[in-house]
Amino acid sequence: AVYKDFLEDYAKKNPNFKVEFNDTSAQRRLDLNTLELKDDNTVFMCGPVKMIKKYAKQLRKNNKNAEIVYEAFDFR
């Protein structure tokens, strides 16, 4: 992951920042249906369009007020 070391180091120094990486070649796919966020949480995501749409829908299902910021890309 790009900037992985930087983001992990930043998370150690900032209690208001949490970063998680999920490598689906070594882990199960994420299931965000049960993730509970506070109303003032912001979720940043990047990935393929189809994945972003799926995860954004799951997040909004139980976290209507959480802010979701994303960058979706499409391979051609």
Side-chain angles (χ1 to χ4, degrees), residues 18-69:
K18 182 178 178 182
V19 64
E20 292 186 30
F21 297 92
N22 189 50
D23 178 357
T24 55
S25 68
Q27 300 166 281
R28 294 182 347 172
R29 294 193 182 273
L30 291 176
D31 181 359
L32 304 179
N33 286 312
T34 59
L35 181 65
E36 293 186 26
L37 301 172
K38 296 178 183 177
D39 285 346
D40 63 345
N41 284 154
T42 302
V43 176
F44 293 89
M45 298 186 292
C46 66
V49 174
K50 187 175 179 179
M51 182 193 83
I52 294 296
K53 286 182 179 181
K54 175 185 174 183
Y55 289 148
K57 183 178 178 180
Q58 287 178 358
L59 284 169
R60 287 190 178 108
K61 182 178 176 182
N62 297 315
N63 306 285
K64 295 181 182 1
N65 296 319
E67 181 180 11
I68 301 171
V69 179

Side-chain angles (χ1 to χ4, degrees), residues 2-31:
V2 178
Y3 301 113
K4 183 176 188 280
D5 293 336
F6 170 80
L7 293 169
E8 289 175 332
D9 185 55
Y10 185 79
K12 289 177 188 174
K13 296 174 183 173
N14 185 340
N16 295 316
F17 181 81
K18 182 178 178 182
V19 64
E20 292 186 30
F21 297 92
N22 189 50
D23 178 357
T24 55
S25 68
Q27 300 166 281
R28 294 182 347 172
R29 294 193 182 273
L30 291 176
D31 181 359

